[in-house]
Amino acid sequence: MTRRRQVIPQGPRPNHRRELAVSQGRPRDGRLGRILWGIGKLLALLAVCGAAGWGGTLLWRHSGPWLADALRIKEVLVIGTRHVTRAEVLARLQLDKHATLYDLDVKPLVERLRALPWVKDVTLTRVPLHALEVEIVERQPAGVVQGVHANVLVDEEGVILKWIGQTTDEALPVITGVDIKRLSQPDSRERRTVREAFELAALIEPLEGRQVRVDGSNPFNLVVAVNDTRVSFGRAPFRDKWTLYQQLKPVLVAEHGASLAQRQLDVDLRFMDRVIVRERG
């Protein structure tokens, strides 16, 4: 059996055909056409962007002043105030008459308002199209700090709210022995003393039903006066000491009868698990 000899067709090889096509002037793989097409698309895109920019410029020139006027702050709404006046709020904001809602830097405005004595927190809200809402959370009076020459009304953190001369408020506890000048320092010992004094007042006042006076001249031993009874608490925790005294008080009343309420007593709670009662002579 004889093999059939493979017949190789005559003519140029495939690579010779490509070279022949190039030599005859046809573009290789259409590269030139793709390049021209890409350049055309780029020019068209640049033309569209240029037209859009030019149109946007014309639109802003004609509508920009109208839009700025539409967004300009024309009204300031102040809510949540009782002691802070609208005039104080506006004076602190210092808004430019050309300011718009969306170019406001809110953070410095909030800090300015928080500098007011009665202001505890502030929320600023943009109300389209031209109103700014200012919601204020005010501090609440918690007590009176009695000074040498004048008294001050303070909140539960010891922040001075108002100078009230020599007056007091019968519904609020009174704190003595505290340097009022140092109350303006947030981390001062006086601030801590005032906060602890209010903690004591919150324990005692609801039970006694009378005004509580706290002597803070010794921050390591707060002394509470209710009528003719003085209670020395020492350092915290106060609740456990006061609870122990309330548990032993019926025993003292049973031993001394009604005369106990008419005596001037010193109650010493400085030591844990111990109550010392003395009568002042």
Side-chain angles (χ1 to χ4, degrees), residues 127-157:
V127 182
L129 290 170
H130 51 74
L132 179 66
E133 181 180 275
V134 182
E135 183 178 2
I136 292 179
V137 177
E138 291 188 344
R139 298 182 182 274
Q140 300 300 317
V144 176
V145 176
Q146 196 171 51
V148 178
H149 304 291
N151 304 336
V152 292
L153 191 67
V154 298
D155 76 339
E156 60 184 4
E157 297 175 358

Side-chain angles (χ1 to χ4, degrees), residues 20-267:
L20 180 61
V22 172
S23 65
Q24 292 176 353
R26 292 186 301 177
R28 182 180 297 180
D29 297 332
R31 290 182 181 177
L32 181 58
R34 289 197 297 271
I35 292 174
L36 294 176
W37 174 251
I39 293 174
K41 287 197 299 183
L42 178 60
L43 292 176
L45 180 61
L46 291 175
V48 171
C49 292
W54 178 73
T57 302
L58 289 179
L59 181 62
W60 176 252
R61 286 179 180 176
H62 290 85
S63 64
W66 173 85
L67 184 62
D69 184 69
L71 297 177
R72 186 172 294 124
I73 299 174
K74 300 178 182 178
E75 185 179 7
V76 178
L77 308 173
V78 181
I79 60 176
T81 58
R82 181 181 175 187
H83 299 92
V84 180
T85 65
R86 175 182 172 81
E88 288 176 318
V89 171
L90 295 179
R92 288 283 178 170
L93 287 176
Q94 299 178 354
L95 293 176
D96 187 278
K97 63 179 181 179
H98 299 296
T100 65
L101 284 178
Y102 299 100
D103 62 7
L104 281 180
D105 190 358
V106 173
K107 186 176 180 180
L109 298 181
V110 170
E111 293 302 320
R112 289 179 204 166
L113 290 173
R114 283 179 177 167
L116 290 170
W118 284 93
V119 175
K120 185 174 185 178
D121 201 4
V122 181
T123 302
L124 297 183
T125 305
R126 299 175 175 91
V127 182
L129 290 170
H130 51 74
L132 179 66
E133 181 180 275
V134 182
E135 183 178 2
I136 292 179
V137 177
E138 291 188 344
R139 298 182 182 274
Q140 300 300 317
V144 176
V145 176
Q146 196 171 51
V148 178
H149 304 291
N151 304 336
V152 292
L153 191 67
V154 298
D155 76 339
E156 60 184 4
E157 297 175 358
V159 176
I160 297 176
L161 304 177
K162 184 180 180 181
W163 291 79
I164 56 175
Q166 297 294 332
T167 62
T168 58
D169 189 332
E170 294 297 328
L172 298 175
V174 177
I175 304 171
T176 61
V178 174
D179 186 355
I180 293 178
K181 295 180 180 179
R182 294 178 60 85
L183 282 178
S184 58
Q185 303 174 15
D187 298 326
S188 64
R189 184 179 66 183
E190 284 71 15
R191 282 276 187 98
R192 294 193 295 271
T193 299
V194 168
R195 289 195 292 267
E196 291 181 350
F198 288 146
E199 182 183 346
L200 280 175
L203 287 174
I204 298 172
E205 211 165 31
L207 294 176
E208 298 295 332
R210 298 182 178 89
Q211 186 181 42
V212 174
R213 299 179 67 89
V214 183
D215 183 357
S217 55
N218 181 0
F220 300 101
N221 180 31
L222 298 185
V223 179
V224 178
V226 182
N227 290 343
D228 291 330
T229 300
R230 295 188 311 190
V231 184
S232 299
F233 278 87
R235 300 299 303 271
F238 302 126
R239 183 178 295 276
D240 294 342
K241 298 176 180 180
W242 181 247
T243 300
L244 178 62
Y245 174 59
Q246 291 299 308
Q247 292 172 349
L248 294 178
K249 193 173 181 180
V251 178
L252 296 174
V253 173
E255 291 180 356
H256 299 279
S259 62
L260 182 67
Q262 301 173 355
R263 300 179 185 180
Q264 295 181 341
L265 300 177
D266 283 334
V267 180

